[in-house]
Amino acid sequence: MQIHGICVRTGFEWFPAVANSVMDMYSRCGRISEAEQMFNLMPIRSLISWNAMIAGYALVGMGEKCLLLFQKMQRQGQILDDFTFTSTLKACSGLGAIEQGKQMHCYTAKFPSGMEKSVANSIVDMYLKCGLVEEAERVFNEMPERNVVSWTVMITGYGKHGLGREAIRLFNEMQVEDVEPDGVTYLALLSACSHSGLVEESREYFSILRGDCRIKPQVEHYACMVDLLGRAGCLKEAKELIHNMPLKPNIGIWQTLLSACRVHGEFEMGREVGDMLLELDGKNAVNYVMLSNIYADAGYWRESEKLRVSVKLKGLKKEGGCSWVEIDKEVHFFYNGDERHPLTKEIHKVLKEIERRIKEETGYPCEVRFALHDVEEESKAESLRYHSEKLAIGLALVHGGVEEGGRTIRVFKNLRVCGDCHEFIKGLSKVLKKVFVVRDANRFHKFEDGFCSCKDYW
């Protein structure tokens, strides 16, 4: 920022190279408003200018603005390169904008730069993050040349979809092809094993990683093992691994263990780890909420509420749950309890009706423990009905009708899907005979005929 001030005072601000560098700096630092201001005031914009602004939007998760700027770039006849495509495809991936992603894939075929490995890797990543595994496999298999990033993207995608065996197969195949895995590849593989509950396989590959002189295991690799052991209920082993690791544990690895304690109802260890987290990172609202949930699950409502009050008094904020769904190439966003959508009444009506049908036909009980408030059961059930993923599904049902069968409904969420919504969508898929695909912060869930692809292991 000081350098920008010097440029202004010396009159160099609008030299093309200087202006591009300043805007790129703002974009990379997440200072999007300053980057936008620079971009809008630039007398001459080069390809570098457009790319820096598009990449900035993609970096901070402003996918819609990224796509709008790409369209503006097209209308003005600007030249496009591989950097333009990779940034815009990243925006499609983040939004889960399937139709726009498909259009972008077709568009890249018209340009020589669209044949670059980086663009092909981004296309594979886009399809995987939009839940279209077969399309991703097709693009991956048709690539004339693949690098370690190509293989890692595909392994990561398999892991997110709970296809651990396929991830292992691909990892072994890449070595047959003489492509050496790097630290990120091992991280993708261990994560894939974790999502599929492949405990012994994960131990084997973690041992291979530690014996590989080319790669030094990082905290993230240990965190994957802690996640795997925690999911499998091996909490003591997970805790010992943290204490014995040669690196300093970070906040995230303790949060992973705390989450596992909640899943398996390990109250004493959970309280111990939670108290430790509050000492290490007392300004992070997530730690208070996670420990509060531990207390609530155990029925210690007073202690749970005390922690939540503490969050408010300290002015701490936790990221709100947000879900979105693409309908007719337009992405609609919802937050928990959101009533801003013009079709809110219709959404609430269809959700109440479908909840009634699920209860009658499947015996689905609202998992009121996920409401995490010491209030009347009816109030808990009411609050659960307006979770963001249910609102997004409600909108899709309003548009497509609640008739049985039909197209797959895809919903995306920024946080982990809660247990009640998971049970609700399983029942919904059985009653309506529809397929629902939900991408949460951890993985994909494919709901069909009352079952989920995660096998209730997420």
Side-chain angles (χ1 to χ4, degrees):
M1 288 55 173
Q2 290 179 345
I3 294 176
H4 183 196
I6 294 172
C7 292
V8 173
R9 290 194 297 273
T10 55
F12 285 110
E13 182 182 23
W14 297 118
F15 277 51
V18 174
N20 288 335
S21 296
V22 172
M23 188 180 65
D24 183 58
M25 177 270 295
Y26 279 128
S27 294
R28 291 177 184 272
C29 292
R31 303 285 292 270
I32 291 300
S33 58
E34 287 92 337
E36 284 179 327
Q37 187 177 15
M38 287 288 297
F39 181 79
N40 292 330
L41 292 175
M42 289 178 72
I44 300 176
R45 296 176 190 146
S46 66
L47 176 61
I48 296 174
S49 315
W50 290 91
N51 280 346
M53 197 66 244
I54 284 176
Y57 283 139
L59 182 66
V60 298
M62 300 175 71
E64 290 182 298
K65 282 198 170 187
C66 180
L67 295 177
L68 288 172
L69 190 61
F70 176 79
Q71 293 168 4
K72 183 177 180 180
M73 191 178 181
Q74 286 179 287
R75 289 195 299 270
Q76 294 191 10
Q78 293 292 325
I79 298 173
L80 308 176
D81 66 2
D82 57 327
F83 195 83
T84 317
F85 290 128
T86 55
S87 296
T88 311
L89 283 162
K90 181 180 179 181
C92 294
S93 301
L95 287 172
I98 299 169
E99 295 306 319
Q100 295 182 73
K102 287 180 177 179
Q103 288 183 349
M104 184 63 59
H105 180 194
C106 294
Y107 197 69
T108 60
K110 300 178 181 179
F111 294 83
S113 56
M115 300 297 106
E116 295 285 341
K117 282 197 295 288
S118 60
V119 177
N121 291 339
S122 295
I123 292 171
V124 172
D125 184 57
M126 179 272 296
Y127 278 127
L128 288 167
K129 288 180 177 175
C130 288
L132 304 177
V133 178
E134 291 182 358
E135 284 82 350
E137 288 175 328
R138 179 174 55 80
V139 176
F140 177 80
N141 291 329
E142 291 176 355
M143 288 176 67
E145 187 178 353
R146 296 181 290 232
N147 56 17
V148 65
V149 176
S150 314
W151 294 88
T152 301
V153 165
M154 199 69 218
I155 291 170
T156 301
Y158 277 144
K160 293 292 185 182
H161 287 269
L163 302 172
R165 296 291 181 190
E166 285 79 355
I168 289 175
R169 174 189 58 76
L170 202 62
F171 179 81
N172 293 332
E173 186 179 321
M174 74 178 286
Q175 292 176 297
V176 172
E177 296 285 335
D178 290 327
V179 180
E180 290 288 346
D182 59 16
V184 180
T185 313
Y186 273 105
L187 188 63
L189 180 66
L190 292 173
S191 179
C193 290
S194 178
H195 285 305
S196 297
L198 303 176
V199 179
E200 292 307 318
E201 291 84 350
S202 186
R203 284 178 174 142
E204 177 187 345
Y205 286 109
F206 187 60
S207 177
I208 293 173
L209 167 63
R210 287 193 288 187
D212 192 330
C213 60
R214 301 177 304 106
I215 306 169
K216 183 179 179 180
Q218 301 299 313
V219 174
E220 291 76 14
H221 297 103
Y222 283 91
C224 264
M225 287 303 297
V226 170
D227 181 53
L228 175 89
L229 294 170
R231 290 171 186 269
C234 306
L235 298 177
K236 290 183 179 180
E237 185 180 347
K239 188 178 179 183
E240 287 175 4
L241 180 63
I242 296 176
H243 284 304
N244 295 328
M245 59 190 281
L247 302 164
K248 182 180 179 180
N250 59 14
I251 301 300
I253 203 168
W254 288 115
Q255 288 176 335
T256 298
L257 182 59
L258 180 60
S259 178
C261 288
R262 184 192 178 195
V263 170
H264 294 283
E266 186 61 54
F267 175 70
E268 290 302 329
M269 185 186 293
R271 181 167 59 178
E272 177 188 341
V273 174
D275 289 341
M276 184 192 306
L277 274 169
L278 295 188
E279 289 183 15
L280 293 173
D281 190 22
K283 294 184 179 180
N284 189 341
V286 171
N287 298 327
Y288 288 87
V289 173
M290 290 178 73
L291 183 55
S292 173
N293 292 345
I294 292 278
Y295 278 116
D297 285 350
Y300 291 93
W301 294 106
R302 183 176 298 177
E303 290 82 354
S304 175
E305 186 60 27
K306 184 178 179 181
L307 285 167
R308 290 180 177 269
V309 170
S310 181
V311 169
K312 292 180 182 178
L313 292 176
K314 293 184 178 184
L316 306 177
K317 292 184 178 180
K318 178 179 177 289
E319 182 182 12
C322 176
S323 299
W324 57 97
V325 61
E326 183 184 16
I327 297 174
D328 296 331
K329 298 182 183 179
E330 181 181 357
V331 181
H332 301 259
F333 293 87
F334 294 91
Y335 290 87
N336 289 345
D338 207 335
E339 295 186 346
R340 293 173 298 174
H341 197 280
L343 295 177
T344 291
K345 289 184 178 180
E346 289 86 346
I347 292 171
H348 289 183
K349 182 179 179 181
V350 76
L351 285 176
K352 287 181 180 179
E353 172 59 22
I354 204 66
E355 183 181 295
R356 180 191 63 78
R357 286 185 58 186
I358 295 174
K359 285 180 178 179
E360 290 179 355
E361 297 181 36
T362 70
Y364 152 76
C366 285
E367 293 285 351
V368 293
R369 65 191 178 93
F370 293 105
L372 294 176
H373 298 290
D374 189 16
V375 295
E376 295 298 323
E377 301 293 291
E378 185 177 347
S379 298
K380 290 183 182 180
E382 188 72 15
S383 69
L384 289 169
R385 186 176 297 131
Y386 303 126
H387 277 192
S388 63
E389 53 265 61
K390 288 184 180 178
L391 294 174
I393 287 174
L395 178 63
L397 294 177
V398 167
H399 275 271
V402 293
E403 68 278 359
E404 296 181 0
R407 66 180 181 83
T408 298
I409 292 178
R410 303 176 189 274
V411 172
F412 303 83
K413 186 177 182 180
N414 65 333
L415 303 177
R416 178 182 180 275
V417 65
C418 87
D420 173 71
C421 290
H422 196 266
E423 289 300 310
F424 173 83
I425 304 171
K426 283 202 297 184
L428 190 61
S429 69
K430 185 175 183 64
V431 169
L432 295 184
K433 295 180 174 58
K434 287 181 182 289
V435 176
F436 295 84
V437 175
V438 178
R439 186 188 81 187
D440 70 7
N442 292 337
R443 60 168 297 153
F444 276 87
H445 303 260
K446 183 178 181 181
F447 299 90
E448 189 171 11
D449 196 29
F451 296 94
C452 179
S453 59
C454 77
K455 300 179 177 62
D456 298 338
Y457 186 91
W458 83 103

